[in-house]
Amino acid sequence: MAKVLVLYYSAYGHIETMAYAVAEGAKSTGAEVVVKRVPELVPDEVAKASYYKMDQAAPIATVDELADYDAIIVGAGTRFGTVASQMRNFWDQTGGLWFAGKLVGKVGSAFTSSATQHGGQETTILGFIPTFLHQGMIVAGLPYAFQGQMGVDEIKGGSPYGASTITDGDGSRQPSAIELEAAKYQGAHVAKIAAKLG
């Protein structure tokens, strides 16, 4: 049985929702799944003034625990075409794991969100892949076997690089049914790969 960590950063709750969908997909394979988040770097008063979602129940992860999992699925919103600094800061502290080769052979995958359809979703996920590769991880995305990412019948996130959602500029759009299905599919896909490697 694979042990999977869904590790996320969510300022407004969109990625949090996606993270639990990813976890649901991974659990559907029989995997042991843990959902955690990275620490917030924004001071509380600024976060509150910016209407950040402050009531997230997922516990805070530690860098050292990453080595305990067979797969790590990372979720964070895009910031100007790259991953949010809170997630970047967390992974920038993994030098000790890298030095000891603690993540070599584990599966890495990523999902994201942006305000607009072309708001840097693909560059955010693609930009995080080198981190997985530097750690010696095996990268998995959202294969086109998930047909929900095809077609133009509705506005939707998702690419072969990973699941995603579009939030609108004011954050009013929540992940759609098809975007949540993509997240579940990705979670199951990663968990199955991790189980085969185990």
Side-chain angles (χ1 to χ4, degrees), residues 36 156-157 195:
K36 292 198 174 183
K156 55 190 166 186

Side-chain angles (χ1 to χ4, degrees), residues 125-188:
I125 294 173
L126 289 171
F128 203 83
I129 288 173
T131 300
F132 292 141
L133 295 176
H134 275 258
Q135 291 285 359
M137 299 173 76
I138 298 159
V139 177
L142 177 66
Y144 277 119
F146 175 71
Q147 291 287 298
Q149 64 184 300
M150 305 293 283
V152 294
D153 52 320
E154 65 180 272
I155 294 172
K156 55 190 166 186
S159 73
Y161 314 116
S164 61
T165 187
I166 303 161
T167 68
D168 205 354
D170 62 0
S172 61
R173 184 181 184 273
Q174 294 303 307
S176 68
I178 198 71
E179 291 167 340
L180 293 173
E181 283 302 315
K184 291 174 192 172
Y185 190 101
Q186 185 172 347

Side-chain angles (χ1 to χ4, degrees), residues 47-186:
K48 287 175 186 170
S50 300
Y51 304 103
Y52 279 24
K53 188 173 187 294
M54 306 292 285
D55 62 347
Q56 298 177 48
I60 303 291
T62 64
V63 169
D64 288 341
E65 77 180 273
L66 297 182
D68 298 338
Y69 300 94
D70 302 306
I72 303 165
I73 308 172
V74 171
T78 181
R79 299 293 187 271
F80 304 105
T82 192
V83 73
S85 61
Q86 290 84 346
M87 184 62 72
R88 183 73 262 155
N89 175 269
F90 186 88
W91 280 84
D92 284 349
Q93 298 173 58
T94 61
L97 296 176
W98 169 82
F99 186 78
K102 296 281 189 177
L103 302 183
V104 172
K106 297 178 185 293
V107 182
S109 193
F111 60 99
T112 193
S113 67
S114 64
T116 64
Q117 274 184 283
H118 307 288
Q121 293 183 358
E122 291 185 357
T123 57
T124 296
I125 294 173
L126 289 171
F128 203 83
I129 288 173
T131 300
F132 292 141
L133 295 176
H134 275 258
Q135 291 285 359
M137 299 173 76
I138 298 159
V139 177
L142 177 66
Y144 277 119
F146 175 71
Q147 291 287 298
Q149 64 184 300
M150 305 293 283
V152 294
D153 52 320
E154 65 180 272
I155 294 172
K156 55 190 166 186
S159 73
Y161 314 116
S164 61
T165 187
I166 303 161
T167 68
D168 205 354
D170 62 0
S172 61
R173 184 181 184 273
Q174 294 303 307
S176 68
I178 198 71
E179 291 167 340
L180 293 173
E181 283 302 315
K184 291 174 192 172
Y185 190 101
Q186 185 172 347

